[in-house]
Amino acid sequence: MLVQFQIEYITHFGQQLMIVGSLPSLGDGLSQNAQMMSLINIQSGRWTFQIELDTDAGFQYRYFVKDDNTNHIIEEWGPDRIFRPEKKLKQNTLLVDHWRPMSDPDYALHSSAFENAILKPGQLLKAPKSKATKHTDTIVLKFKPNVVRIKLGHRIAIAGSANALGSWAEEKALPLGNLDYPIWCGEVNVDISEFPIHYKYLIQNEKSETEFWEKLTERTIELPEGEVPDVIEIDDEKFN
């Protein structure tokens, strides 16, 4: 099983993005044994790394920046990320992550007081699963936005350029599930010919009507260079 990691972070001269995790190939959780990532797009700050797995056991990992100018490291906010692979050793997965800056005030909402009381969700909703297809040139997209602040009775949905995402028609948007709140989840099968995929999140009310869209330009998913993945997991950190 091939696992590819991808994250965007704009560095300065003397800075290097690193990845460390609970696997031996990721340094056994020790920052001094962390792996150096490769910068493949200097304009966007896109960094990548990949490992081969011979097990379907899950693992933890995180990113940090090694700064040779100050001999310090820049840490992300929050706990280690967790990857739970499918029970398919021949399946290739791309993990698209986003940096979690320590200075972002929105992360204060991820305390137990907000998640388990003040902003605790009412109804728990199942995540939609990708439908089986006879086509071989398809990729499963797994969306996992982290949204803690949402009104009771409302839910996160996603619309985009792909047919499975409604071709931008909000009435055909894909509603996401919240069983892993504050992570909202949902997956679809997308034909490779539809890449790059453009998408945005929106808020729906109890009647599945759109309340409002994100206030940002379209998000984009591009295919990585080299081997095409079977699955792409997109961990969008926040609703804008």
Side-chain angles (χ1 to χ4, degrees):
M1 176 191 296
L2 178 69
V3 179
Q4 302 175 70
F5 302 86
Q6 176 180 297
I7 190 168
E8 292 186 355
Y9 185 95
I10 302 294
T11 52
H12 303 291
F13 179 79
Q15 293 182 330
Q16 168 68 45
L17 204 68
M18 311 291 290
I19 183 170
V20 63
S22 57
L23 298 174
S25 56
L26 292 175
D28 278 328
L30 301 174
S31 58
Q32 61 267 33
N33 296 332
Q35 299 287 347
M36 298 174 63
M37 301 187 71
S38 299
L39 179 61
I40 62 170
N41 189 314
I42 193 170
Q43 281 75 32
S44 66
R46 183 176 301 160
W47 297 78
T48 64
F49 185 75
Q50 66 182 40
I51 56 175
E52 287 279 357
L53 299 180
D54 56 5
T55 175
D56 58 12
F59 61 88
Q60 298 177 321
Y61 69 100
R62 67 184 297 108
Y63 303 99
F64 67 88
V65 177
K66 181 182 178 183
D67 193 331
D68 292 334
N69 301 303
T70 61
N71 292 321
H72 288 89
I73 63 174
I74 301 172
E75 293 275 8
E76 282 191 289
W77 171 89
D80 289 353
R81 304 168 189 269
I82 299 175
F83 174 55
R84 300 182 179 91
E86 301 283 346
K87 303 293 183 180
K88 301 175 183 178
L89 290 180
K90 293 184 179 181
Q91 182 168 275
N92 297 331
T93 301
L94 170 64
L95 303 179
V96 179
D97 293 316
H98 293 81
W99 183 263
R100 304 179 300 203
M102 287 282 194
S103 59
D104 194 327
D106 282 358
Y107 288 126
L109 297 176
H110 287 267
S111 66
S112 58
F114 282 101
E115 291 186 4
N116 300 327
I118 301 173
L119 297 175
K120 183 178 181 180
Q123 183 181 6
L124 294 179
L125 308 164
K126 290 185 178 181
K129 294 291 186 179
S130 57
K131 297 179 180 178
T133 175
K134 295 180 180 180
H135 301 289
T136 56
D137 295 333
T138 61
I139 295 176
V140 175
L141 297 183
K142 294 186 175 183
F143 297 95
K144 299 170 62 179
N146 190 328
V147 186
V148 63
R149 182 166 51 185
I150 187 168
K151 293 174 62 176
L152 287 177
H154 287 190
R155 71 187 300 174
I156 304 296
I158 179 172
S161 58
N163 290 329
L165 297 178
S167 299
W168 288 116
E170 60 183 40
E171 66 274 11
K172 297 181 181 179
L174 177 74
L176 304 183
N178 64 348
L179 296 182
D180 293 324
Y181 174 85
I183 305 298
W184 294 73
C185 301
E187 61 182 57
V188 292
N189 253 315
V190 174
D191 195 284
I192 291 176
S193 64
E194 294 188 275
F195 280 82
I197 306 295
H198 304 283
Y199 69 100
K200 291 177 71 171
Y201 296 106
L202 52 97
I203 301 291
Q204 293 181 335
N205 60 25
E206 299 91 334
K207 299 179 181 179
S208 297
E209 300 168 333
T210 300
E211 291 288 325
F212 53 88
W213 292 68
E214 286 188 290
K215 295 180 180 179
L216 84 172
T217 55
E218 299 169 2
R219 301 175 185 265
T220 303
I221 310 167
E222 298 178 351
L223 290 179
E225 297 180 4
E227 191 163 354
V228 176
D230 302 299
V231 178
I232 301 179
E233 283 195 16
I234 306 102
D235 290 348
D236 287 316
E237 286 300 323
K238 54 193 299 185
F239 182 96
N240 192 321

